[in-house]
Amino acid sequence: MTNSVSFQLDFHKFGRSESIDLPPGLHVVYGESGCGKSQIIRSLASVSGEMSTHFTLLKHHIPDAVQIVFQNPENQILSHTLESELAFGLECKSTNSNWLQSGLTELKSNLPFIANWGRHPVSLSGGEMEMLNLVTAMSTDPNLILIDDGLSFLDTKTKIQWVNWIRGKISKEKTVIWFTSDISDINFGDTKWSLSLSGIKQFETHQHTESYQYKTNGGELGLELLNLHFSYGDEESALIQNWHCNIANARAIG
């Protein structure tokens, strides 16, 4: 078994063939929607299903233990409580109760924002589900982690925290390939790649700049919220507390 990843992409319509070699570490592949990011992920993980054919992926060296972090965070949810969701991966590896309890406590420590572990996972926000899915993916101890447009719900500060968390879990044994539609994400990678319908190429350096500027016309809609509170029925702490919001002169409010 090998922890490094290597494969070949044949872009047959353009007569191109690219060989990709990735050592353990964090590698980021940028590509616009529809360029084939999910196709590569499914092919690397040997997941069957209908896929486009503008390129063919030929496997060379892929680790046996592969885990996917799905683009839609709800697609990765299996259990009806947060605690059982975290425990599932551990229970697949061992039946030792002491080891399970110790492992579960460690996994919970990665998600300090959760106060009630009896909650259903889908009651989390999109970003919170992404964090949960990263923790559950790592709990299976895979050698290759494939992230399909993950972390897209997180703000920049939180995203940086979780990229650092991922790096802390990688050491020298795991390979993480993060496929993203946000070009600024490639700055997080040990290697940086750009995927298109016609090929894939590697960046050595990258500085993100806006390619265009667009200014919308002003509007007349307004929204004002004062002292908004919200919590789920038996929650100990409120999700929203004393929130004020004032949006003025908007063209649309959703």
Side-chain angles (χ1 to χ4, degrees):
M1 184 177 69
T2 177
N3 292 330
S4 61
V5 176
S6 64
F7 55 91
Q8 181 176 317
L9 289 177
D10 287 334
F11 295 84
H12 35 79
K13 292 182 180 179
F14 297 89
R16 295 178 181 174
S17 181
E18 304 287 349
S19 295
I20 313 297
D21 296 288
L22 303 174
L26 175 60
H27 309 277
V28 180
V29 180
Y30 162 74
E32 295 182 356
S33 179
C35 70
K37 301 188 295 294
S38 296
Q39 176 186 347
I40 295 178
I41 289 171
R42 292 196 297 268
S43 297
L44 288 173
S46 299
V47 176
S48 60
E50 184 178 350
M51 295 183 289
S52 65
T53 58
H54 64 273
F55 63 77
T56 301
L57 186 145
L58 304 176
K59 289 188 179 181
H60 292 289
H61 298 290
I62 306 297
D64 294 331
V66 180
Q67 182 62 258
I68 300 175
V69 178
F70 291 96
Q71 181 176 10
N72 182 347
E74 293 186 18
N75 287 351
Q76 198 163 332
I77 303 298
L78 297 173
S79 303
H80 65 284
T81 69
L82 289 166
E83 185 169 64
S84 58
E85 181 71 17
L86 282 184
F88 179 80
L90 300 176
E91 292 169 343
C92 291
K93 295 169 61 177
S94 175
T95 58
N96 184 298
S97 60
N98 291 331
W99 182 85
L100 288 173
Q101 287 298 326
S102 175
L104 187 57
T105 299
E106 182 179 353
L107 292 180
K108 286 180 176 180
S109 69
N110 294 300
L111 302 166
F113 56 86
I114 296 177
N116 179 5
W117 290 98
R119 282 174 59 182
H120 198 291
V122 297
S123 67
L124 299 177
S125 69
E128 289 170 338
M129 278 193 281
E130 286 183 331
M131 297 180 231
L132 172 67
N133 291 343
L134 284 171
V135 172
T136 56
M138 287 292 186
S139 72
T140 63
D141 198 27
N143 298 112
L144 172 61
I145 301 96
L146 303 168
I147 302 177
D148 189 357
D149 252 328
L151 310 183
S152 59
F153 289 96
L154 303 182
D155 59 61
T156 301
K157 180 180 178 181
T158 307
K159 184 182 291 187
I160 291 172
Q161 292 173 348
W162 279 91
V163 169
N164 291 334
W165 182 88
I166 291 170
R167 288 192 176 281
K169 298 294 182 181
I170 290 176
S171 66
K172 296 182 180 180
E173 301 176 356
K174 301 181 187 300
T175 302
V176 176
I177 310 177
W178 175 10
F179 295 83
T180 178
S181 300
D182 184 348
I183 193 170
S184 63
D185 289 338
I186 66 172
N187 294 306
F188 292 114
D190 297 331
T191 65
K192 309 166 179 63
W193 303 81
S194 177
L195 176 67
S196 68
L197 293 174
S198 60
I200 185 170
K201 62 181 180 180
Q202 185 175 0
F203 292 95
E204 292 299 331
T205 60
H206 174 75
Q207 182 176 357
H208 176 54
T209 57
E210 294 292 340
S211 57
Y212 62 89
Q213 294 183 351
Y214 180 73
K215 183 177 180 179
T216 62
N217 295 324
E220 297 181 354
L221 294 176
L223 174 66
E224 183 176 8
L225 300 174
L226 296 175
N227 299 318
L228 179 66
H229 294 260
F230 179 80
S231 63
Y232 288 96
D234 57 350
E235 277 293 297
E236 297 179 1
S237 59
L239 293 179
I240 301 174
Q241 188 169 5
N242 294 323
W243 182 42
H244 306 282
C245 176
N246 190 352
I247 301 173
N249 300 323
R251 295 179 63 239
I253 297 176

